[in-house]
Amino acid sequence: MSVTVGAVEHSVDVLRARLLADRPERVALYAGVQINGAPHVGTNVMQTAAFLLAQAARERFGVAVVVRFGALDNTAFDKRVCATTGTLYERSYHHALGPDRIAELTKRYYGALFDALSEATGVPYEVETYTRQQRGVRFREEFLESLARRERLRWILAPSHGNVPVSFPCPRCGWLQKYGEDTELLEADATGARFVARCLDHGRYEAEARPGNATFVGLTTLHRNLVKERVAARDEALPVIVKGADWAGGCRLVDEAFLDYPESIPPPRVFTPVVLSASGAKLSKTLIQEGTAQLSAGTEPWMLDTTAWPGPGSDYARMLHGLVTLMLSDPRHFERGYTTRELAALIEQHGLRGERHGLRGGAGA
Ligand SMILES: [Zn+2]
């Protein structure tokens, strides 16, 4: 449980100081969307919390709100290892499937749920892929700015070895070197950066990233989040970053990186409950795929793969809305983690599965 439970009446109150200082007309809550397979319940809890936190911010502070989801189409779709050097190569969902199938996947896994939650909370939402984000002029400017500061940022973004690789897909096949062993920065300034990289099949190639050009820029997780948040901070809406509580340590490093920029204030953050397997490990795609999630008797198949929910999607949206409303009813319930067994017990105790718990307005029905 977080120590902040004693400091707030509602978990969204952590935004109050920034709202009073900045007086923004609009708040944009940023959350992520995984597209590498069907979501598990933990991902949906975080996303539902984004909608409900936005609604609470609107009601408590009288600001306009929007939820912006970033779809991580840069996630690895397949992997290869070079037999001689052991170098890891990856091809992203974007490069393997293309934008149309990415849009289809996002809609299949999240479309109905987001529409139902948006209707129930009156909070509008937007979905943007990483591919689109990184192409934006502001993203390129902030990426180049991060390169200019690389000597300081590298020890914050990679505390153990100071190596922060930037990856560029091979222009012929779309594969990239995950850890950029053979990627080298040739030159960089505020107008652009030139790199050389190596493909397993096609050898050496050059890549140039400029504001306005089409080169795909692959960044490590912390670096990518820093650049995305720097871009969000330039928007007229106050950015609020919503992430699972497992991100607390990572966000501390992103905050530290922010402080390296002159007169720069990191965005406010709200951490959402993490769903854990019986062993205490966070539910994750990797754990589930490895079959090592150590699931207790209370775990139901839909918790690991939400497309297995036995019933209409509108009931699933209603259940999640009820469950996260319950969590947000007291900071002690929101600022903690839940095992799958506890989730099952809560759903049972509060009758969240059936018809009794209705969304206002009957969203998704
Ligand atoms: Zn290639």
Side-chain angles (χ1 to χ4, degrees):
M1 200 179 298
S2 162
V3 293
T4 48
V5 298
V8 293
E9 290 167 11
H10 190 290
S11 296
V12 85
D13 287 347
V14 294
L15 306 183
R16 193 183 301 272
R18 273 301 284 283
L19 288 168
L20 289 173
D22 295 4
R23 300 265 171 209
E25 284 179 13
R26 225 151 66 98
V27 171
L29 292 90
Y30 289 81
V33 169
Q34 307 290 336
I35 54 161
N36 53 338
H40 58 76
V41 65
T43 303
N44 285 163
V45 163
M46 180 272 288
Q47 293 160 338
T48 307
F51 278 102
L52 287 166
L53 287 162
Q55 181 186 14
R58 187 186 64 214
E59 288 168 0
R60 289 175 83 85
F61 308 123
V63 287
V65 290
V66 61
V67 178
R68 292 184 178 150
F69 289 104
L72 296 168
D73 61 346
N74 53 315
T75 304
F77 180 81
D78 38 20
K79 296 177 182 184
R80 288 167 75 192
V81 176
C82 173
T84 41
T85 61
T87 308
L88 178 62
Y89 288 82
E90 282 185 0
R91 189 165 57 137
S92 74
Y93 267 72
H94 169 75
H95 290 94
L97 302 181
D100 292 348
R101 286 193 59 198
I102 299 291
E104 198 183 292
L105 273 183
T106 312
K107 191 158 190 270
R108 186 194 318 160
Y109 292 140
Y110 300 97
L113 175 64
F114 288 3
D115 286 346
L117 291 169
S118 177
E119 196 180 334
T121 56
V123 173
Y125 76 92
E126 299 159 6
V127 179
E128 191 180 36
T129 59
Y130 173 74
T131 299
R132 258 184 72 94
Q133 278 173 353
Q134 59 83 34
R135 217 180 272 149
V137 169
R138 287 180 172 185
F139 189 101
R140 296 305 171 100
E141 288 170 355
E142 290 298 339
F143 165 60
L144 294 172
E145 178 69 32
S146 74
L147 287 184
R149 302 176 170 278
R150 64 187 177 279
E151 278 312 312
R152 290 166 61 98
L153 290 180
R154 58 190 293 216
W155 296 110
I156 300 171
L157 300 176
S160 293
H161 46 66
N163 181 25
V164 184
V166 180
S167 324
F168 298 95
C170 167
R172 291 172 66 185
C173 65
W175 285 79
L176 56 75
Q177 234 175 22
K178 164 93 170 163
Y179 300 111
E181 290 91 333
D182 299 310
T183 306
E184 203 184 317
L185 176 61
L186 298 177
E187 55 180 350
D189 61 25
T191 64
R194 281 199 315 124
F195 293 80
V196 280
R198 180 169 294 279
C199 172
L200 188 54
D201 296 319
H202 303 110
R204 192 186 125 104
Y205 57 91
E206 278 200 20
E208 188 174 2
R210 279 184 283 111
N213 84 346
T215 307
F216 183 99
V217 181
L219 304 176
T220 63
T221 303
L222 292 175
H223 191 189
R224 184 177 66 242
N225 277 271
L226 171 66
V227 173
K228 279 177 6 180
E229 291 184 12
R230 293 277 310 164
V231 172
R234 290 167 63 175
D235 197 82
E236 40 79 41
L238 175 72
V240 172
I241 311 299
V242 179
K243 285 186 187 295
D246 55 309
W247 256 92
C251 286
R252 214 205 67 76
L253 292 174
V254 178
D255 287 345
E256 199 175 325
F258 251 83
L259 296 175
D260 191 60
Y261 293 69
E263 293 176 46
S264 174
I265 306 174
R269 307 178 183 284
V270 184
F271 295 109
T272 64
V274 170
V275 179
L276 310 164
S277 69
S279 70
K282 185 185 94 105
L283 272 201
S284 71
K285 288 262 156 47
T286 318
L287 272 185
I288 292 165
Q289 280 156 6
E290 286 171 354
T292 51
Q294 293 190 27
L295 300 162
S296 58
T299 308
E300 299 182 50
W302 63 264
M303 292 181 171
L304 307 183
D305 173 352
T306 58
T307 59
W309 171 261
S314 52
D315 283 358
Y316 181 63
R318 219 184 329 265
M319 181 281 293
L320 272 178
H321 184 276
L323 182 67
V324 181
T325 298
L326 200 65
M327 291 172 174
L328 269 171
S329 68
D330 188 321
R332 283 176 306 155
H333 301 330
F334 191 70
E335 298 177 28
R336 53 160 287 180
Y338 290 87
T339 62
T340 48
R341 174 183 287 218
E342 287 172 305
L343 274 198
L346 273 179
I347 291 166
E348 187 62 33
Q349 271 166 31
H350 294 269
L352 298 176
R353 202 185 249 284
E355 298 299 308
R356 277 189 295 146
H357 187 89
L359 284 184
R360 273 193 304 273

